[in-house]
Amino acid sequence: MLENGKISPHQYTIMIAFFIVGGSILYTPSGLVHSAKQDAWMANIIVVGLGLILVSLFNLLGSRFPTMNLTEYSERILGKWLGKLLSFLYFIYFFLSLAVFIRQIGDFVIIQILPDTPILPLHILLIGIMIMGVLYGIETFSRAIEIFFPIIFLLLLIFIISIFPMIEFQQLQPILANGTKPIISAAVKSVGTPYLQLVLFLMVFPAVNQTTKAKKSFLLGTFIGGTVLTVVTLLSILCLGTYFSENMEFVAYALALKINIGGFWQRIEAVMAFIWFISIYIKITLYFYGSIICMGQILELKEYKCLTFPLGLITLVLSLIINKNIVESDKQAEWWTSFSLPFGLFFPLLLLIVSKIRKKDSY
Amino acid sequence: MKRKITLILFFSSIILLTGCWNKRELNELSILLGLGIDKEKEQYIITAQVVNPSEIASKKGGSGKAPVIVYQSKGETLFEAVRKITTVAPRKLYFAHLRILVFGEDLAKEGIGEMIDALIRNSEVRDDFYIAVSKNSKAADVLKILTPLETIPANSLFASLEVSAKEWSPTEGVTLDKLVSNMVSEGNNPILTGIELKGPVKTGESNKNVDQTNPKTLLRYKGLAVFKQDKLIGWMNERESKAVHYALGKVKSSVGFVKCPEGGKAVIEVVKTKSKLNTMIIKGRPHGTIKIKILGNVAEVDCQSLDLTDPKSIPYLEKESEEALIKIIKSTIQHAQKDFRTDIFGFGEALYRSEPDYWKKHKREWEQLYSQMPVSVKVEMNIRQTGTINNSPLHEMK
């Protein structure tokens, strides 16, 4: 066992909700609105449904090996070498995602908040606190998340209530103008971010101290995160209309920019940025944790902390070169689902089926 | 030892955390409040109205210099022209406090789409400023005029547009996001309020203009610029623009008069309106309906024949004002349909909302369908109050 820390099911729920909100709160609407137009919120509900089905699959696999993480039981199910190969593929997947998300924060900051700042110092700061989070271990980290939760929840609530006066219900009409086809295709396309990525939590799953409750919290966390994303999508269509929801680089931030109640409750977009920074920080730290545990397992190390600095430095370089420009990173969202599909769906299914056939479970 | 190192690291990090990378202090900014854009021979001419901080900040009333400075520059593109301003101005323009954007009439006729892109793409520009079109003059001239009462002309223009939209209603403060969504929409077209220059530009440029009780040169909102997508195609007069705002339900408060039974006028103050615009398909053809509900008070009675103690005279006033409103709204819609052939009311969008399949089939020929579409207008007027007196003193002077 590389990880000896234990987290409670409650912390696990919060972690998952943050993970889902983190990567997507600024991005979700535009992709969905592109194909589903004003019905994007329905697509979002479908995506949450698909996400919950995926999570049940992960739960099935995770609870079969309640004390082991993904890399451990892939070696057990597929044999040592094949298992290590699969673990290595997962390592690459986690590590690339990590770099992509760090780049997303960098891009956001230099586009919206600090336009002339070079991206490097931002990444150094971010990776610094990310390494710190992993060095403290999952137990400390999840307690930190628990402290953040009420603050973020309150801010999100304030944000949503402040938007209410700008709502124009006619923006939602006509409902289902183009039939259900574009909605379903939009939903299927965007299941990759963030629901297929939830496979990462199979690395954290054994750290939860009650397996049966962990299954429930996995579903609950997914549901909470998905609901927040649906509400944000709905609000952006209601307030900004389809053109802006589709073409703004950061829709939720544009929404926050518009808040103006009575001439004094305005310019609170930093609240939105704060929500996003905290939640995506949690997301990248979990990715970093996942890739380090993966690597540690492959190399059969006794403890993983020696890996943080070397891998952190590689992350820094990778995050700078992973995309050449912003158009490329926007395009990335489109093929990310197909890239995540083997990791998020096929491999877990394969592991589940093979473990049933070979009658393997945890001891 | 370890603690000492931590402390040293902690304090030395303060040196690194001094602020933003590209911070610009107030004395390095020129705060842009008004921006005018004109076009001349393929070149954009921008006029930037910038605050003169020493004049605004001093409590003693300043030294008699102009409160704002106007810079001009030319360029093939908007962004180029904006940056070129640094060759005449000592500081870089700061866009976040922009109050009013004025398009020159000539530019508006050629299309404002290219300008709009540069503005929404820029992260410094917020969309809380108003947009207007200068009528019969250049945008540059509008921004050169100094205004009384509000020392900063751009603030004066902003405030005046806000107040007049609230209390008088033929004008409307259009923001960037509203303009863009109407511009890109297939079933809607933008409208902007016009600004007119009254008096010679020369006298308006100097502080002397505001030293008088009756400034020789003034700026006035007048008329409504009607667009087809991003191109200006014509103007509507005050009565018509009021009718447009009634139809769109944008009237907050306004004033209208009706004729008394035997000549003279009675004035109704509108305090609340609500409108519903719909497009239906009747026998395979689109049919527009507008329903307006208005709440009003009697504000002025200039005739002897109206007896306000008689309950019958209120329905009379209601009916008269309903008819008058229906008449101007109908003629305005016809004007937009027949002469401009542009759907500024959003009947197309309403059709898309109610009959998406029909809209998809016919949206290419919408301009044709729209220009021949019958529109029925219903107005429901409710008069509640008559002010602090009932019968007019005129009534007693028989």
Side-chain angles (χ1 to χ4, degrees):
Chain A
M1 275 297 275
L2 276 171
E3 179 60 67
N4 295 316
K6 285 283 168 206
I7 60 175
S8 73
H10 179 60
Q11 288 165 335
Y12 194 53
T13 312
I14 295 172
M15 205 185 259
I16 290 162
F18 266 132
F19 182 87
I20 290 172
V21 172
S24 314
I25 192 164
L26 289 184
Y27 289 90
T28 328
S30 53
L32 285 171
V33 174
H34 181 67
S35 38
K37 299 288 172 200
Q38 64 273 18
D39 296 327
W41 57 280
M42 291 191 220
N44 225 320
I45 293 172
I46 296 174
V47 185
V48 180
L50 291 175
L52 288 174
I53 296 171
L54 267 175
V55 169
S56 327
L57 169 71
F58 298 151
N59 268 340
L60 223 57
L61 188 59
S63 58
R64 218 175 150 78
F65 304 91
T67 55
M68 298 165 113
N69 64 33
L70 185 62
T71 44
E72 280 169 321
Y73 51 68
S74 66
E75 272 181 43
R76 200 175 146 72
I77 295 168
L78 298 173
K80 193 173 179 189
W81 294 108
L82 217 53
K84 275 204 193 303
L85 180 70
L86 189 66
S87 305
F88 187 67
L89 288 177
Y90 267 108
F91 168 75
I92 290 175
Y93 173 60
F94 293 152
F95 207 58
L96 282 176
S97 313
L98 171 66
V100 166
F101 286 115
I102 291 175
R103 182 57 180 266
Q104 277 186 0
I105 308 180
D107 277 339
F108 169 72
V109 173
I110 58 172
I111 287 174
Q112 289 285 6
I113 301 175
L114 307 168
D116 292 343
T117 310
I119 206 163
L120 182 67
L122 297 170
H123 283 197
I124 292 175
L125 281 174
L126 203 65
I127 289 169
I129 52 168
M130 179 183 90
I131 290 174
M132 213 167 105
V134 172
L135 277 180
Y136 279 130
I138 191 86
E139 209 171 314
T140 320
F141 180 65
S142 37
R143 276 190 213 133
I145 298 177
E146 214 173 1
I147 293 170
F148 277 129
F149 181 69
I151 305 171
I152 297 294
F153 183 76
L154 195 73
L155 287 179
L156 203 62
L157 207 66
I158 291 172
F159 170 69
I160 288 169
I161 291 170
S162 313
I163 291 171
F164 274 1
M166 302 189 300
I167 286 177
E168 285 174 43
F169 279 104
Q170 54 174 349
Q171 307 261 35
L172 277 190
Q173 291 172 311
I175 289 167
L176 289 176
N178 301 311
T180 47
K181 226 175 163 184
I183 299 176
I184 290 167
S185 81
V188 171
K189 264 186 222 155
S190 60
V191 78
T193 22
Y195 301 96
L196 284 176
Q197 299 165 353
L198 287 172
V199 69
L200 175 68
F201 281 90
L202 289 178
M203 302 297 293
V204 190
F205 197 83
V208 186
N209 54 15
Q210 291 152 293
T211 313
T212 39
K213 279 196 180 168
K215 282 161 69 176
K216 254 187 212 159
S217 4
F218 206 161
L219 286 168
L220 184 66
T222 312
F223 181 73
I224 294 172
T227 311
V228 171
L229 292 187
T230 310
V231 169
V232 170
T233 308
L234 194 59
L235 286 175
S236 71
I237 297 167
L238 280 171
C239 303
L240 297 172
T242 46
Y243 171 78
F244 283 104
S245 299
E246 188 182 333
N247 286 304
M248 279 310 228
E249 197 69 59
F250 305 104
V251 183
Y253 189 76
L255 207 54
L257 275 172
K258 279 195 72 178
I259 291 173
N260 183 354
I261 299 173
F264 69 94
W265 185 247
Q266 55 174 339
R267 311 204 170 192
I268 57 163
E269 61 270 14
V271 170
M272 191 66 227
F274 183 73
I275 295 173
W276 195 60
F277 284 146
I278 297 291
S279 49
I280 202 162
Y281 164 67
I282 289 160
K283 186 161 185 165
I284 59 167
T285 309
L286 282 168
Y287 264 116
F288 193 50
Y289 174 79
S291 30
I292 278 178
I293 297 279
C294 244
M295 205 49 174
Q297 200 69 46
I298 295 166
L299 300 176
E300 287 170 12
L301 298 176
K302 290 220 168 56
E303 58 105 39
Y304 62 83
K305 284 174 185 168
C306 58
L307 282 173
T308 46
F309 278 102
L311 282 182
L313 278 178
I314 297 172
T315 314
L316 179 61
V317 179
L318 192 60
S319 67
L320 293 172
I321 59 169
I322 194 146
N323 292 319
K324 285 198 200 78
N325 51 44
I326 185 80
V327 183
E328 240 178 39
S329 50
D330 284 350
K331 264 274 167 290
Q332 205 163 42
E334 285 172 26
W335 53 262
W336 200 252
T337 298
S338 24
F339 177 58
S340 306
L341 210 55
F343 300 100
L345 185 64
F346 298 148
F347 292 154
L349 260 179
L350 180 83
L351 286 174
L352 195 66
I353 292 167
V354 174
S355 76
K356 286 232 161 136
I357 293 171
R358 295 185 67 182
K359 299 223 168 65
K360 297 249 180 184
D361 46 32
S362 70
Y363 308 104
Chain B
M1 190 58 205
K2 204 178 169 189
R3 215 171 140 173
K4 268 184 190 164
I5 292 175
T6 326
L7 273 177
I8 291 169
L9 270 177
F10 180 76
F11 282 110
S12 57
S13 67
I14 293 174
I15 302 168
L16 296 172
L17 301 171
T18 48
C20 302
W21 188 277
N22 58 330
K23 59 152 184 61
R24 283 192 283 155
E25 300 287 344
L26 206 54
N27 58 5
E28 296 161 24
L29 297 173
S30 43
I31 297 168
L32 178 76
L33 287 177
L35 183 69
I37 309 173
D38 291 296
K39 198 171 185 185
E40 197 175 78
K41 289 183 208 148
E42 295 307 306
Q43 285 221 313
Y44 294 110
I45 302 172
I46 66 156
T47 312
Q49 193 182 86
V50 171
V51 185
N52 185 355
S54 60
E55 278 309 299
I56 299 300
S58 62
K59 279 178 186 160
K60 287 169 196 160
S63 53
K65 289 179 197 150
V68 291
I69 305 145
V70 172
Y71 292 117
Q72 264 188 326
S73 81
K74 262 187 207 176
E76 303 257 328
T77 60
L78 179 65
F79 205 63
E80 188 191 328
V82 167
R83 284 291 166 91
K84 243 185 185 172
I85 277 192
T86 48
T87 57
V88 281
R91 302 169 187 177
K92 197 179 153 197
L93 292 184
Y94 182 61
F95 272 79
H97 294 282
L98 187 60
R99 296 276 79 185
I100 190 138
L101 171 66
V102 184
F103 289 116
E105 195 175 355
D106 296 336
L107 170 74
K109 276 178 184 156
E110 280 180 44
I112 54 174
E114 293 147 32
M115 303 293 97
I116 296 297
D117 177 88
L119 291 167
I120 37 177
R121 205 176 283 282
N122 191 334
S123 67
E124 217 173 75
V125 182
R126 308 177 63 93
D127 56 11
D128 55 0
F129 58 91
Y130 289 153
I131 304 170
V133 180
S134 70
K135 192 180 179 187
N136 300 329
S137 69
K138 285 199 169 124
D141 296 337
V142 169
L143 287 172
K144 282 177 191 162
I145 308 303
L146 288 177
T147 50
L149 210 56
E150 277 279 2
T151 39
I152 299 171
N155 273 351
S156 162
L157 285 174
F158 181 85
S160 158
L161 192 51
E162 200 161 62
V163 174
S164 65
K166 216 171 173 178
E167 307 293 341
W168 175 229
S169 293
T171 55
E172 193 207 348
V174 179
T175 50
L176 194 58
D177 53 328
K178 199 84 219 158
L179 177 66
V180 173
S181 8
N182 283 348
M183 223 162 73
V184 295
S185 162
E186 284 167 316
N188 207 342
N189 284 294
I191 41 176
L192 290 175
T193 301
I195 303 184
E196 205 182 45
L197 192 67
K198 200 179 148 227
V201 184
K202 262 240 137 52
T203 53
E205 281 176 353
S206 87
N207 246 352
K208 274 182 199 148
N209 189 42
V210 288
D211 283 346
Q212 310 156 30
T213 52
N214 181 14
K216 289 265 176 344
T217 315
L218 276 176
L219 293 172
R220 177 169 58 184
Y221 285 110
K222 201 178 175 189
L224 198 68
V226 177
F227 282 76
K228 184 175 272 178
Q229 286 183 327
D230 69 331
K231 289 182 180 62
L232 174 74
I233 52 168
W235 292 90
M236 282 190 167
N237 63 25
E238 196 167 40
R239 262 167 68 93
E240 287 171 328
S241 41
K242 204 156 145 186
V244 170
H245 288 121
Y246 268 118
L248 293 174
K250 282 178 181 159
V251 174
K252 287 191 190 86
S253 172
S254 184
V255 173
F257 68 82
V258 290
K259 284 204 174 75
C260 292
E262 289 156 32
K265 285 167 190 164
V267 178
I268 312 291
E269 179 200 8
V270 173
V271 287
K272 200 176 165 188
T273 64
K274 209 175 166 186
S275 109
K276 218 171 180 182
L277 190 145
N278 261 321
T279 313
M280 295 176 294
I281 303 296
I282 296 172
K283 288 180 193 155
R285 298 197 76 73
H287 190 105
T289 57
I290 296 176
K291 276 181 201 157
I292 309 173
K293 268 188 184 173
I294 305 175
L295 199 66
N297 297 333
V298 176
E300 190 179 329
V301 179
D302 299 344
C303 58
Q304 295 183 330
S305 53
L306 192 69
D307 182 8
L308 278 178
T309 50
D310 181 7
K312 272 185 200 151
S313 46
I314 295 295
Y316 167 81
L317 286 175
E318 286 176 350
K319 205 173 151 258
E320 282 289 305
S321 47
E322 276 167 15
E323 275 169 6
L325 257 180
I326 289 174
K327 211 173 132 195
I328 59 161
I329 291 174
K330 273 199 164 166
S331 75
T332 308
I333 292 173
Q334 266 192 3
H335 191 42
Q337 281 178 321
K338 299 277 152 22
D339 302 333
F340 295 135
R341 293 172 75 94
T342 167
D343 183 6
I344 51 174
F345 301 95
F347 282 114
E349 252 178 28
L351 183 62
Y352 174 53
R353 279 198 291 272
S354 58
E355 307 273 345
D357 294 328
Y358 184 91
W359 169 252
K360 254 180 272 165
K361 247 181 261 164
H362 296 276
K363 69 179 174 191
R364 264 153 219 265
E365 36 173 348
W366 176 241
E367 199 183 300
Q368 181 69 25
L369 284 173
Y370 163 74
S371 63
Q372 288 161 3
M373 182 177 79
V375 180
S376 59
V377 183
K378 254 186 206 160
V379 178
E380 196 190 317
M381 184 89 184
N382 280 305
I383 293 174
R384 291 281 150 84
Q385 311 289 343
T386 61
T388 49
I389 53 169
N390 42 40
N391 261 339
S392 165
L394 287 173
H395 192 76
E396 309 300 319
M397 289 193 316
K398 268 172 194 172

PDB file of all heavy atoms in Angstrom, chain A residues 221-241:
ATOM      1  N   GLY A 221     -21.817  12.653  -5.053  1.00  0.00           N
ATOM      2  CA  GLY A 221     -20.886  13.699  -5.499  1.00  0.00           C
ATOM      3  C   GLY A 221     -21.073  14.011  -6.968  1.00  0.00           C
ATOM      4  O   GLY A 221     -21.110  15.175  -7.381  1.00  0.00           O
ATOM      5  N   THR A 222     -21.216  12.957  -7.780  1.00  0.00           N
ATOM      6  CA  THR A 222     -21.430  13.146  -9.210  1.00  0.00           C
ATOM      7  C   THR A 222     -22.713  13.929  -9.455  1.00  0.00           C
ATOM      8  O   THR A 222     -22.775  14.833 -10.280  1.00  0.00           O
ATOM      9  CB  THR A 222     -21.539  11.790  -9.921  1.00  0.00           C
ATOM     10  OG1 THR A 222     -20.467  10.979  -9.477  1.00  0.00           O
ATOM     11  CG2 THR A 222     -21.467  11.949 -11.419  1.00  0.00           C
ATOM     12  N   PHE A 223     -23.749  13.560  -8.692  1.00  0.00           N
ATOM     13  CA  PHE A 223     -25.042  14.215  -8.868  1.00  0.00           C
ATOM     14  C   PHE A 223     -24.947  15.702  -8.501  1.00  0.00           C
ATOM     15  O   PHE A 223     -25.434  16.565  -9.238  1.00  0.00           O
ATOM     16  CB  PHE A 223     -26.095  13.516  -8.014  1.00  0.00           C
ATOM     17  CG  PHE A 223     -27.457  14.114  -8.163  1.00  0.00           C
ATOM     18  CD1 PHE A 223     -28.201  13.905  -9.326  1.00  0.00           C
ATOM     19  CD2 PHE A 223     -27.990  14.907  -7.171  1.00  0.00           C
ATOM     20  CE1 PHE A 223     -29.443  14.469  -9.476  1.00  0.00           C
ATOM     21  CE2 PHE A 223     -29.243  15.468  -7.312  1.00  0.00           C
ATOM     22  CZ  PHE A 223     -29.963  15.253  -8.474  1.00  0.00           C
ATOM     23  N   ILE A 224     -24.291  16.018  -7.381  1.00  0.00           N
ATOM     24  CA  ILE A 224     -24.167  17.424  -6.959  1.00  0.00           C
ATOM     25  C   ILE A 224     -23.405  18.229  -8.014  1.00  0.00           C
ATOM     26  O   ILE A 224     -23.853  19.276  -8.474  1.00  0.00           O
ATOM     27  CB  ILE A 224     -23.450  17.534  -5.596  1.00  0.00           C
ATOM     28  CG1 ILE A 224     -24.306  16.900  -4.495  1.00  0.00           C
ATOM     29  CG2 ILE A 224     -23.169  18.995  -5.245  1.00  0.00           C
ATOM     30  CD1 ILE A 224     -23.601  16.783  -3.163  1.00  0.00           C
ATOM     31  N   GLY A 225     -22.250  17.691  -8.413  1.00  0.00           N
ATOM     32  CA  GLY A 225     -21.438  18.395  -9.417  1.00  0.00           C
ATOM     33  C   GLY A 225     -22.208  18.604 -10.699  1.00  0.00           C
ATOM     34  O   GLY A 225     -22.216  19.695 -11.277  1.00  0.00           O
ATOM     35  N   GLY A 226     -22.904  17.542 -11.162  1.00  0.00           N
ATOM     36  CA  GLY A 226     -23.673  17.628 -12.400  1.00  0.00           C
ATOM     37  C   GLY A 226     -24.786  18.653 -12.301  1.00  0.00           C
ATOM     38  O   GLY A 226     -25.067  19.383 -13.249  1.00  0.00           O
ATOM     39  N   THR A 227     -25.418  18.724 -11.125  1.00  0.00           N
ATOM     40  CA  THR A 227     -26.504  19.682 -10.941  1.00  0.00           C
ATOM     41  C   THR A 227     -25.984  21.109 -11.047  1.00  0.00           C
ATOM     42  O   THR A 227     -26.600  21.955 -11.700  1.00  0.00           O
ATOM     43  CB  THR A 227     -27.171  19.487  -9.566  1.00  0.00           C
ATOM     44  OG1 THR A 227     -27.459  18.109  -9.410  1.00  0.00           O
ATOM     45  CG2 THR A 227     -28.439  20.281  -9.461  1.00  0.00           C
ATOM     46  N   VAL A 228     -24.837  21.358 -10.423  1.00  0.00           N
ATOM     47  CA  VAL A 228     -24.262  22.709 -10.504  1.00  0.00           C
ATOM     48  C   VAL A 228     -24.003  23.080 -11.965  1.00  0.00           C
ATOM     49  O   VAL A 228     -24.343  24.173 -12.417  1.00  0.00           O
ATOM     50  CB  VAL A 228     -22.960  22.804  -9.680  1.00  0.00           C
ATOM     51  CG1 VAL A 228     -22.248  24.120  -9.948  1.00  0.00           C
ATOM     52  CG2 VAL A 228     -23.253  22.656  -8.211  1.00  0.00           C
ATOM     53  N   LEU A 229     -23.428  22.140 -12.716  1.00  0.00           N
ATOM     54  CA  LEU A 229     -23.141  22.433 -14.123  1.00  0.00           C
ATOM     55  C   LEU A 229     -24.421  22.688 -14.910  1.00  0.00           C
ATOM     56  O   LEU A 229     -24.487  23.579 -15.756  1.00  0.00           O
ATOM     57  CB  LEU A 229     -22.375  21.273 -14.764  1.00  0.00           C
ATOM     58  CG  LEU A 229     -20.956  21.054 -14.269  1.00  0.00           C
ATOM     59  CD1 LEU A 229     -20.275  19.991 -15.104  1.00  0.00           C
ATOM     60  CD2 LEU A 229     -20.165  22.341 -14.331  1.00  0.00           C
ATOM     61  N   THR A 230     -25.477  21.908 -14.628  1.00  0.00           N
ATOM     62  CA  THR A 230     -26.745  22.108 -15.330  1.00  0.00           C
ATOM     63  C   THR A 230     -27.308  23.491 -15.029  1.00  0.00           C
ATOM     64  O   THR A 230     -27.771  24.190 -15.934  1.00  0.00           O
ATOM     65  CB  THR A 230     -27.770  21.038 -14.903  1.00  0.00           C
ATOM     66  OG1 THR A 230     -27.154  19.762 -15.006  1.00  0.00           O
ATOM     67  CG2 THR A 230     -28.995  21.082 -15.777  1.00  0.00           C
ATOM     68  N   VAL A 231     -27.242  23.885 -13.766  1.00  0.00           N
ATOM     69  CA  VAL A 231     -27.770  25.200 -13.384  1.00  0.00           C
ATOM     70  C   VAL A 231     -26.986  26.310 -14.091  1.00  0.00           C
ATOM     71  O   VAL A 231     -27.573  27.257 -14.628  1.00  0.00           O
ATOM     72  CB  VAL A 231     -27.719  25.380 -11.852  1.00  0.00           C
ATOM     73  CG1 VAL A 231     -28.004  26.822 -11.477  1.00  0.00           C
ATOM     74  CG2 VAL A 231     -28.707  24.468 -11.178  1.00  0.00           C
ATOM     75  N   VAL A 232     -25.665  26.161 -14.149  1.00  0.00           N
ATOM     76  CA  VAL A 232     -24.862  27.191 -14.807  1.00  0.00           C
ATOM     77  C   VAL A 232     -25.198  27.266 -16.300  1.00  0.00           C
ATOM     78  O   VAL A 232     -25.338  28.354 -16.866  1.00  0.00           O
ATOM     79  CB  VAL A 232     -23.354  26.939 -14.591  1.00  0.00           C
ATOM     80  CG1 VAL A 232     -22.516  27.853 -15.459  1.00  0.00           C
ATOM     81  CG2 VAL A 232     -23.003  27.148 -13.136  1.00  0.00           C
ATOM     82  N   THR A 233     -25.367  26.121 -16.927  1.00  0.00           N
ATOM     83  CA  THR A 233     -25.734  26.108 -18.347  1.00  0.00           C
ATOM     84  C   THR A 233     -27.077  26.796 -18.559  1.00  0.00           C
ATOM     85  O   THR A 233     -27.236  27.644 -19.430  1.00  0.00           O
ATOM     86  CB  THR A 233     -25.853  24.658 -18.861  1.00  0.00           C
ATOM     87  OG1 THR A 233     -24.676  23.971 -18.520  1.00  0.00           O
ATOM     88  CG2 THR A 233     -26.050  24.625 -20.355  1.00  0.00           C
ATOM     89  N   LEU A 234     -28.035  26.433 -17.720  1.00  0.00           N
ATOM     90  CA  LEU A 234     -29.373  27.011 -17.822  1.00  0.00           C
ATOM     91  C   LEU A 234     -29.312  28.526 -17.666  1.00  0.00           C
ATOM     92  O   LEU A 234     -29.883  29.274 -18.453  1.00  0.00           O
ATOM     93  CB  LEU A 234     -30.250  26.391 -16.734  1.00  0.00           C
ATOM     94  CG  LEU A 234     -31.749  26.588 -16.824  1.00  0.00           C
ATOM     95  CD1 LEU A 234     -32.263  26.025 -18.131  1.00  0.00           C
ATOM     96  CD2 LEU A 234     -32.446  25.903 -15.661  1.00  0.00           C
ATOM     97  N   LEU A 235     -28.564  28.978 -16.671  1.00  0.00           N
ATOM     98  CA  LEU A 235     -28.471  30.416 -16.420  1.00  0.00           C
ATOM     99  C   LEU A 235     -27.811  31.132 -17.581  1.00  0.00           C
ATOM    100  O   LEU A 235     -28.217  32.228 -17.959  1.00  0.00           O
ATOM    101  CB  LEU A 235     -27.692  30.682 -15.134  1.00  0.00           C
ATOM    102  CG  LEU A 235     -28.421  30.392 -13.836  1.00  0.00           C
ATOM    103  CD1 LEU A 235     -27.488  30.581 -12.668  1.00  0.00           C
ATOM    104  CD2 LEU A 235     -29.632  31.278 -13.679  1.00  0.00           C
ATOM    105  N   SER A 236     -26.778  30.515 -18.150  1.00  0.00           N
ATOM    106  CA  SER A 236     -26.084  31.226 -19.222  1.00  0.00           C
ATOM    107  C   SER A 236     -26.977  31.344 -20.447  1.00  0.00           C
ATOM    108  O   SER A 236     -26.944  32.351 -21.140  1.00  0.00           O
ATOM    109  CB  SER A 236     -24.750  30.569 -19.554  1.00  0.00           C
ATOM    110  OG  SER A 236     -24.969  29.363 -20.196  1.00  0.00           O
ATOM    111  N   ILE A 237     -27.806  30.336 -20.710  1.00  0.00           N
ATOM    112  CA  ILE A 237     -28.735  30.454 -21.842  1.00  0.00           C
ATOM    113  C   ILE A 237     -29.797  31.501 -21.523  1.00  0.00           C
ATOM    114  O   ILE A 237     -30.140  32.336 -22.354  1.00  0.00           O
ATOM    115  CB  ILE A 237     -29.395  29.107 -22.158  1.00  0.00           C
ATOM    116  CG1 ILE A 237     -28.344  28.103 -22.589  1.00  0.00           C
ATOM    117  CG2 ILE A 237     -30.423  29.262 -23.275  1.00  0.00           C
ATOM    118  CD1 ILE A 237     -28.828  26.701 -22.619  1.00  0.00           C
ATOM    119  N   LEU A 238     -30.297  31.479 -20.289  1.00  0.00           N
ATOM    120  CA  LEU A 238     -31.365  32.402 -19.902  1.00  0.00           C
ATOM    121  C   LEU A 238     -30.914  33.857 -19.928  1.00  0.00           C
ATOM    122  O   LEU A 238     -31.700  34.747 -20.221  1.00  0.00           O
ATOM    123  CB  LEU A 238     -31.863  32.063 -18.504  1.00  0.00           C
ATOM    124  CG  LEU A 238     -32.838  30.900 -18.390  1.00  0.00           C
ATOM    125  CD1 LEU A 238     -33.062  30.542 -16.948  1.00  0.00           C
ATOM    126  CD2 LEU A 238     -34.160  31.251 -19.034  1.00  0.00           C
ATOM    127  N   CYS A 239     -29.649  34.098 -19.602  1.00  0.00           N
ATOM    128  CA  CYS A 239     -29.212  35.486 -19.488  1.00  0.00           C
ATOM    129  C   CYS A 239     -28.469  35.968 -20.717  1.00  0.00           C
ATOM    130  O   CYS A 239     -28.628  37.096 -21.137  1.00  0.00           O
ATOM    131  CB  CYS A 239     -28.300  35.668 -18.293  1.00  0.00           C
ATOM    132  SG  CYS A 239     -29.072  35.161 -16.798  1.00  0.00           S
ATOM    133  N   LEU A 240     -27.617  35.125 -21.286  1.00  0.00           N
ATOM    134  CA  LEU A 240     -26.764  35.604 -22.372  1.00  0.00           C
ATOM    135  C   LEU A 240     -27.332  35.286 -23.747  1.00  0.00           C
ATOM    136  O   LEU A 240     -26.944  35.894 -24.729  1.00  0.00           O
ATOM    137  CB  LEU A 240     -25.371  34.988 -22.259  1.00  0.00           C
ATOM    138  CG  LEU A 240     -24.567  35.331 -21.017  1.00  0.00           C
ATOM    139  CD1 LEU A 240     -23.307  34.498 -20.966  1.00  0.00           C
ATOM    140  CD2 LEU A 240     -24.206  36.795 -21.007  1.00  0.00           C
ATOM    141  N   GLY A 241     -28.236  34.323 -23.831  1.00  0.00           N
ATOM    142  CA  GLY A 241     -28.738  33.916 -25.137  1.00  0.00           C
ATOM    143  C   GLY A 241     -27.762  32.953 -25.790  1.00  0.00           C
ATOM    144  O   GLY A 241     -26.656  32.731 -25.294  1.00  0.00           O
TER     145      GLY A 241
END
